Amino acid sequence: MFILLVCSCLAVLAQGQIVFRNYVRFTTPPIDAPVYLEQVGGTPLSGTNLNYRAALLGGPNTATPWSLTQPGTLQVTYNPSITTLTWAAFNTGTLPGQTPGYVRADATFPPSRAVPGADWGTWALVQMVAWEGPYTSWTEAWQAAQAGSVRIGASNPLTIHLPNSPTANVT
């Protein structure tokens, strides 16, 4: 049992990691990409507004992004310390610094994400997805959307170069 646990930890460390946020003011250029319901400038998604959730999909740069009608091969990223943490809520706007439309990044929803199938220092394809309702996985929400019972959204995919180590920056 102990050997299996150690091997599992090493496998997680082999995955390249990124930070899942849609607002970062200390980068060049800064990232400021709030998520809205229906249209830009409309109602920003909020953790209390119909229970919206978001996930970051990722994989090698040869993966296929998801569309609103076609499944892709990108997989849900996960927090390397809490591997069951695959989605995040949106800020509620009720606390200072928690503006609606932005993915919540705090102790409850740590922003670090391991990218499945993409090692440190390689190119990866990532895509942010969001959905309404209590679904705890992107696949469940996407399937419900195909049945017409839930609204979903997906960003354009981004190709990024993963850092060379946990202490390096994404380029």
Side-chain angles (χ1 to χ4, degrees):
M1 183 71 125
F2 177 72
I3 294 172
L4 178 62
L5 178 61
V6 171
C7 291
S8 295
C9 291
L10 292 175
V12 169
L13 292 174
Q15 300 295 305
Q17 297 177 24
I18 60 174
V19 174
F20 179 29
R21 290 188 173 153
N22 59 333
Y23 179 75
V24 184
R25 64 182 173 155
F26 299 113
T27 61
T28 304
I31 298 166
D32 188 356
V35 179
Y36 296 96
L37 179 63
E38 306 296 338
Q39 64 186 11
V40 173
T43 304
L45 295 191
S46 167
T48 58
N49 184 7
L50 298 177
N51 201 21
Y52 287 99
R53 297 177 181 189
L56 184 66
L57 308 180
N61 65 343
T62 56
T64 307
W66 288 70
S67 77
L68 301 183
T69 58
Q70 295 292 317
T73 59
L74 289 176
Q75 298 176 39
V76 177
T77 62
Y78 56 89
N79 181 275
S81 300
I82 312 166
T83 58
T84 57
L85 182 58
T86 59
W87 59 272
F90 284 91
N91 288 330
T92 62
T94 58
L95 298 173
Q98 286 200 357
T99 305
Y102 296 97
V103 174
R104 191 168 157 196
D106 56 24
T108 305
F109 297 100
S112 295
R113 293 290 189 265
V115 181
D119 293 329
W120 294 105
T122 64
W123 288 92
L125 189 66
V126 294
Q127 180 181 32
M128 181 179 170
V129 293
W131 63 92
E132 67 180 341
Y135 302 98
T136 57
S137 80
W138 166 246
T139 303
E140 289 175 359
W142 188 85
Q143 290 170 344
Q146 301 315 297
S149 61
V150 66
R151 290 184 285 193
I152 61 172
S155 73
N156 291 328
L158 297 172
T159 302
I160 61 170
H161 190 260
L162 296 176
N164 292 323
S165 72
T167 58
N169 293 321
V170 174
T171 57

